[in-house]
Structures are given as C-alpha cells and as structure tokens.
Amino acid sequence: MITDLKVSQAFQNDAAGMKLGLDLATSTEISRQIRPNSLTVNYDAGTKSYSVSADGWSQRFAPENIQSNANGETIYQKTGGTDRSYLTIATTPYTNSKSNQYVGLAFWQENAVSGTRQDMDFYIFTYGLPTSAATVPRSGVAGFRTDTFGAVSTPGQEPRSFQGQGDFSVDFAAGVFATHSYLNETTLVTDQGVSGGGIEFTGAGHLSSSSGTFSGNALMRAGLDRPPVLSPGASMAPMERNWVAPFRGRTGTV
C-alpha cells in the first residue's frame, strides 16, 4: 500500500518540471528552463524518509521536516538561510476521501533567494507501482474523475499556477483516451486569482498496444491574456486503479 510502506523502495516515476528565475520587485519571470532531464525518488523504510534528485539537486525529507500531515497530504519543509525546500506528498485525491493504493502524487520545490531575485526549481511527479502491459485491459471502456494541477510562465510576466477538476475517459478496445478539466488560475508571487469560462485543459491520444502507457497531445487554454499552451507528445503511465500523470509543454508543466 502506498499509504503504509513497509520496505524501502526505489520508485518508478513520471515527472515534469521547470526552473524559473523571478524578479521579486516586479513579480515577473526573468528566465525559464523546462525540466527535468531525469528524476529519482526513493523511500527509506528505516528512517521513514523520502529522497529526491534531479538536475543536480538532491534532497532528503525526514519525519522531523513534516509541517503538516492531514487528509492524505503530507507537507515537508527544510530551511537553510534564505533557501527553502518543499516536498508535498498526496496519497488521497483532493476531491475524494478514499486513499490511493498503488500511486502517489508529489510536488517538489527548491527556492533560492538573493536580493530581489528568486530562483525556483519546481517538479511535479507521480510515483508508485506501474501497471504491466499484460494487465492493462484491452476491451471495454472506463471513466475517471481527475484533479489537474500545473504551472505556466511567459517571459516578462508573472508565472501562474492552475488547478481544477475534470474527467478522463478511455476506450480500451479502440486504444484511445480523452481528458478535460475546467481550471482556476493563481499568480505565484502576488497570489491573484482568476476563474471563469475558457480556462481549461484538454488532452487526447492513444493507449500503447505493447506497453501500459498513453501518449498524445494536450492543450491548456489559459486566462489573464495568455496564449494556449500546447504539450505535444505528452506521455503517462497507468498505475493500478489510480490514474495520475505529468505533462510537459513549451511554457509550463501539468
């Protein structure tokens, strides 16, 4: 069970992320780089700690770093001078009270502040026990309720996070899927929000016939005068009953 780990694990994962340079005086983006090249996530059963690494970063989060732990969400924080490290582990969907069995969702963030500049490495990843190709259904249809989270950025503007609820449907016989979510946006520095029609995430694609993965295209229609964000070739893996996946686009991560 993903909520009651008894042995140490080196988890398989799917990850997306970005590195941002922010001007805190103007609340705007200075620089951006899509990440990660690769990410690892490990659990040490002896110390009950998680270790994550990507793009030269490596961090260990132990029980003494827990800031809150409720409703299937555990938030870790580590502090060093003006630097901050955060890890959020969610094993219960935000729109459901039933815990996942085989997969978790995580957010990892590294903040480094110097004067009015903040450099932020932000990763979203899923981890757990993937479904093998042999056990993926090849007939019938299924539908799932989804929670969508992500971030988008544009040079010279303030980066924004977004979240919302939606649905994911798959036709196993035809090998196709579609997903859609309505979203709310929030600015990352000034914490201003916007909601309403036209802010949405849409995706569609195919189920692999030789593995347990999906691939396709995704489009995020943003608010606050932002152009659509296209994520071509997005991929994700189903993980035993619990369906979660990161997408990576030109200007953001989902």
Side-chain angles (χ1 to χ4, degrees):
M1 294 286 290
I2 201 73
T3 56
D4 187 25
L5 298 170
K6 301 296 187 183
V7 297
S8 298
Q9 300 278 349
F11 286 112
Q12 294 190 41
N13 67 86
D14 287 313
M18 58 184 175
K19 179 180 180 65
L20 292 177
L22 304 175
D23 185 334
L24 299 179
T26 61
S27 302
T28 58
E29 175 193 316
I30 302 171
S31 62
R32 177 188 68 245
Q33 182 180 357
I34 298 298
R35 291 188 164 183
N37 294 318
S38 64
L39 183 144
T40 63
V41 53
N42 297 286
Y43 178 76
D44 187 317
T47 60
K48 299 185 183 300
S49 62
Y50 289 90
S51 296
V52 287
S53 61
D55 301 304
W57 286 102
S58 183
Q59 198 65 259
R60 175 179 173 271
F61 296 91
E64 59 266 28
N65 305 127
I66 293 176
Q67 299 298 302
S68 65
N69 185 10
N71 302 317
E73 179 188 70
T74 304
I75 299 176
Y76 300 80
Q77 179 181 329
K78 299 180 71 174
T79 303
T82 59
D83 297 347
R84 300 288 187 274
S85 301
Y86 304 91
L87 178 68
T88 299
I89 297 286
T91 55
T92 298
Y94 290 103
T95 54
N96 199 336
S97 59
K98 185 177 181 179
S99 298
N100 292 346
Q101 297 184 55
Y102 306 103
V103 65
L105 170 68
F107 307 88
W108 175 28
Q109 183 173 332
E110 295 285 336
N111 290 344
V113 178
S114 178
T116 60
R117 179 187 175 103
Q118 175 178 316
D119 288 294
M120 179 181 73
D121 286 77
F122 178 69
Y123 303 92
I124 298 176
F125 62 92
T126 60
Y127 68 97
L129 309 174
T131 303
S132 66
T135 56
V136 174
R138 299 299 174 181
S139 63
V141 297
F144 303 86
R145 186 168 59 181
T146 61
D147 296 317
T148 303
F149 304 92
V152 292
S153 65
T154 300
Q157 297 187 28
E158 183 175 359
R160 291 167 170 83
S161 65
F162 58 84
Q163 63 180 20
Q165 300 176 24
D167 56 73
F168 181 100
S169 60
V170 55
D171 184 327
F172 291 106
V176 296
F177 77 90
T179 184
H180 178 267
S181 301
Y182 288 108
L183 307 172
N184 297 317
E185 277 192 2
T186 304
T187 53
L188 289 179
V189 181
T190 58
D191 198 32
Q192 301 297 309
V194 62
S195 60
I199 309 176
E200 54 190 311
F201 175 79
T202 303
H206 294 86
L207 168 63
S208 172
S209 60
S210 59
S211 69
T213 61
F214 295 89
S215 63
N217 294 315
L219 179 69
M220 189 270 186
R221 295 185 181 276
L224 297 171
D225 300 321
R226 287 179 173 269
V229 178
L230 176 65
S231 176
S235 64
M236 53 186 170
M239 296 189 179
E240 297 285 0
R241 297 187 188 176
N242 312 128
W243 298 71
V244 286
F247 291 81
R248 185 183 305 163
R250 289 197 305 267
T251 59
T253 181
V254 183

